[in-house]
Amino acid sequence: MSWLLDDFFMRALFGGLGIALIAGPLGCFIVWRRMAYFGETMAHAALLGIALSLLMDIFPIGGVFAVSLLIAGVLYWLERLDRLSTDTLLGILSHASLSIGLITLGFMTWLRIDIMSLLFGDILSISQQDIMIIWGGGALVLALLLSHWQSLLASTISPDIASAEGLPVTRANLLFIFLIALVIAVAMKLIGVLLITSLLIIPAATARQFSLSPESMAVMAAFIAALAVYIGLQSSLQWDSQPGPSIVLSAFSLFLISLAIGPAILKVIRKRSS
């Protein structure tokens, strides 16, 4: 296995597949909860996390994770004030955190920082250590997702009914935020803060065209995300395009295909299952 990771393409592929396996299922909850803008806000906050971690000389993933949780806490506090709608608050926090992050990085003249790689990712430069972090973090996300699947699903479908049945809705919502922050922290180097949300949302939206159950949608989303990573990396090598945007474009292409053939395939699946 170690000789495979000596090749930059194989390292990128292993890293991308590790992200795809967790982004797909978690993205389903983002789609079900209609929280795409929340995911984007958390992703933009990741740049501020990177800037602060460099400023304080701490591990970047820890900084990204901490700032993501902080932004989620600020959003929760502002929502309780009940002065502005949630989407307005998300827009404010999203652009403010991104701007503060960029300004902070701009003042750090003693460091050479590739802003483009932070914004759009640099999957071809990941190391074996990065792969270990990605797969380790991915294993943790999947373990938490599987062990709390029922409470997460119930709180997504109907929080009131879930509370009436004694399910820990508040804990499930906090866990959901924790998982998003963790995925963004481990995925940022691969696909960048501006594109992370697309890998969470597009495969899940594509899988929705073919799925009859939440579980099948989660599995299909992981497969579609992995396929988008593979096609995107191959396209990047073939046409010398940026890997991150190539992966997103591949995911978008699969989504367009699903719109065209999804209803027919879903009809066949329903006939076979009946």
Side-chain angles (χ1 to χ4, degrees):
M1 179 66 72
S2 61
W3 66 269
L4 282 175
L5 299 181
D6 289 336
D7 181 76
F8 76 96
F9 178 81
M10 294 305 299
R11 289 198 302 270
L13 182 60
F14 272 96
L17 291 179
I19 294 300
L21 293 177
I22 55 178
L26 187 61
C28 292
F29 284 97
I30 294 178
V31 170
W32 293 331
R33 293 180 177 223
R34 300 179 180 179
M35 294 180 66
Y37 209 177
F38 175 77
E40 184 176 354
T41 301
M42 296 280 278
H44 286 182
L47 186 65
L48 177 58
I50 285 288
L52 294 179
S53 64
L54 291 174
L55 188 63
M56 295 184 290
D57 195 24
I58 61 175
F59 197 50
I61 288 182
V64 170
F65 182 69
V67 170
S68 297
L69 291 182
L70 176 62
I71 292 296
V74 171
L75 174 64
Y76 177 75
W77 175 70
L78 290 174
E79 282 182 324
R80 290 178 64 87
L81 295 179
D82 198 23
R83 295 179 182 175
L84 293 171
S85 62
T86 300
D87 62 332
T88 301
L89 292 173
L90 285 172
I92 293 171
L93 291 175
S94 174
H95 296 97
S97 58
L98 181 64
S99 299
I100 294 172
L102 287 171
I103 290 173
T104 303
L105 289 172
F107 280 127
M108 298 168 65
T109 55
W110 61 91
L111 291 176
R112 290 189 61 186
I113 301 172
D114 187 357
I115 298 295
M116 292 298 291
S117 67
L118 292 177
L119 295 178
F120 299 104
D122 192 11
I123 192 173
L124 295 179
S125 69
I126 67 172
S127 63
Q128 295 188 28
Q129 182 183 10
D130 293 327
I131 293 175
M132 293 175 61
I133 293 173
I134 290 168
W135 281 89
L140 176 60
V141 170
L142 284 180
L144 291 172
L145 199 58
L146 291 173
S147 61
H148 295 83
W149 179 266
Q150 290 301 327
S151 59
L152 283 169
L153 189 60
S155 61
T156 298
I157 296 173
S158 177
D160 294 334
I161 295 177
S163 297
E165 292 181 353
L167 293 174
V169 175
T170 301
R171 189 172 68 183
N173 291 334
L174 292 175
L175 175 63
F176 178 65
I177 294 173
F178 173 86
L179 293 177
I180 292 178
L182 185 57
V183 169
I184 289 173
V186 300
M188 199 184 81
K189 183 173 182 178
L190 274 73
I191 200 165
V193 298
L194 296 183
L195 303 177
I196 290 174
T197 316
S198 59
L199 198 60
L200 287 165
I201 296 172
I202 299 177
T206 305
R208 197 170 195 172
Q209 312 302 318
F210 304 100
S211 307
L212 294 177
S213 68
E215 291 76 14
S216 64
M217 179 173 165
V219 173
M220 183 66 71
F223 172 77
I224 292 171
L227 183 60
V229 167
Y230 178 76
I231 296 174
L233 286 175
Q234 290 285 7
S235 301
S236 175
L237 289 179
Q238 183 72 28
W239 292 295
D240 195 26
S241 57
Q242 290 189 354
S246 297
I247 291 173
V248 175
L249 183 58
S250 299
F252 178 64
S253 300
L254 293 173
F255 172 70
L256 293 179
I257 293 172
S258 73
L259 292 180
I261 66 175
I265 293 179
L266 195 58
K267 186 176 181 180
V268 173
I269 295 175
R270 282 174 176 166
K271 283 185 178 180
R272 290 183 177 180
S273 60
S274 61

